[in-house]
Amino acid sequence: MKKINCILLVDDDPTTNFLNEELITELEIAEQIHIAYNGQEALDFINLTGKYKGVSKKSHPRPNLIFLDINMPLMDGFEFLEHYNKLPKSKKADIIIVFLTTSDSQKDKVKAVVNNLVADFIEKPLRKEELMKIRDQYFKEFP
């Protein structure tokens, strides 16, 4: 099975990002792993704006999979989704978004599922079984 080209981890917690990056690297399922520390930084990554302005699409490709935290400063996960939903289809085509959060709020789960942008809702920490399930479900025949 070919690797996922680009995974974007969006979380304000450096330890969580480190552990998730280590797991993804260990399982060898991604060509590239990038980190954004809030929703605005994730939007900048997708649009190649802000601190990503001028970087090459090869070194910072459009992510195929985004693991998105809900509770972050500056722009939280739900605010990110509001802005993301307004992007042109070419910017968001085929991106799978998975909420990865400590929130066990039923309200958050319902809100995540209802908006139709979130493919799954997983409680932290990311585990091998969940990661492989997502890969197999959404990237089975990844080009």
Side-chain angles (χ1 to χ4, degrees), residues 9 16-27 33:
L9 303 171
T16 297
N17 287 326
F18 174 79
L19 293 173
N20 291 341
E21 186 176 22
E22 285 292 308
L23 177 63
I24 293 165
T25 301
E26 178 185 314
L27 296 175
I33 305 164

Side-chain angles (χ1 to χ4, degrees), residues 67-139:
F67 285 107
L68 180 64
D69 188 21
I70 292 177
N71 300 310
M72 297 177 287
L74 189 59
M75 181 185 290
D76 70 24
F78 287 114
E79 291 169 320
F80 165 82
L81 291 175
E82 288 176 29
H83 291 277
Y84 173 84
N85 197 32
K86 296 174 186 172
L87 293 176
K89 288 183 182 182
S90 62
K91 293 275 186 179
K92 58 185 178 180
D94 301 325
I95 297 177
I96 303 299
I97 299 174
V98 175
F99 265 137
L100 183 61
T101 183
T102 56
S103 173
D104 60 357
S105 163
Q106 193 60 34
K107 180 181 172 186
D108 283 346
K109 289 179 183 177
V110 169
K111 189 175 177 183
V113 172
V114 167
N115 85 22
N116 292 323
L117 295 174
V118 178
D120 210 340
F121 189 102
I122 299 173
E123 289 185 36
K124 292 179 188 177
L126 184 59
R127 291 178 287 283
K128 177 182 177 180
E129 299 77 26
E130 292 163 332
L131 185 56
M132 300 310 280
K133 178 183 160 203
I134 288 166
R135 185 205 58 185
D136 293 345
Q137 183 173 354
Y138 297 104
F139 301 98

